[in-house]
Amino acid sequence: MKTTEQGLPLAVKVDPAELHRDPSQLAGELLRLCQRAAARAGLARRKQMEAAGMSAAALAATGLPTEAEVARQEIVEEQDYDTEPQSWLRTV
């Protein structure tokens, strides 16, 4: 899967075996991966701005997630779904 920085999917490659899964589960997994991609891209953008010398106050005003926020979101996601997604999908 390839997404924009906002998490919008640009390309999705589906293994034929995965097409036998429940469509709502597959769609939910795609959505989760898009959200994860957006959070990680936002964190990467924040780190670039920080490295460029942007102040902490200005960074906070951007609304971009911190490393702790992204980690917390991923932990909650793992707890909500109890196990790792059983999928061929990988974040990029």
Side-chain angles (χ1 to χ4, degrees), residues 45-72:
R45 179 68 63 204
R46 182 185 186 98
K47 286 181 178 182
Q48 287 175 340
M49 292 176 168
E50 187 176 37
M54 187 175 269
S55 71
L59 283 171
T62 67
L64 293 170
T66 64
E67 195 163 348
E69 290 169 339
V70 171
R72 187 173 30 256

Side-chain angles (χ1 to χ4, degrees), residues 5-76:
E5 283 190 358
Q6 294 78 27
L8 298 173
L10 294 173
V12 177
K13 197 177 216 181
V14 179
D15 185 277
E18 295 298 321
L19 295 175
H20 298 291
R21 292 180 61 186
D22 177 79
S24 62
Q25 288 178 349
L26 186 55
E29 191 167 328
L30 287 169
L31 179 60
R32 285 190 300 280
L33 289 173
C34 287
Q35 291 168 338
R36 181 177 282 189
R40 288 181 179 181
L43 176 59
R45 179 68 63 204
R46 182 185 186 98
K47 286 181 178 182
Q48 287 175 340
M49 292 176 168
E50 187 176 37
M54 187 175 269
S55 71
L59 283 171
T62 67
L64 293 170
T66 64
E67 195 163 348
E69 290 169 339
V70 171
R72 187 173 30 256
Q73 177 185 352
E74 290 182 7
I75 289 169
V76 167

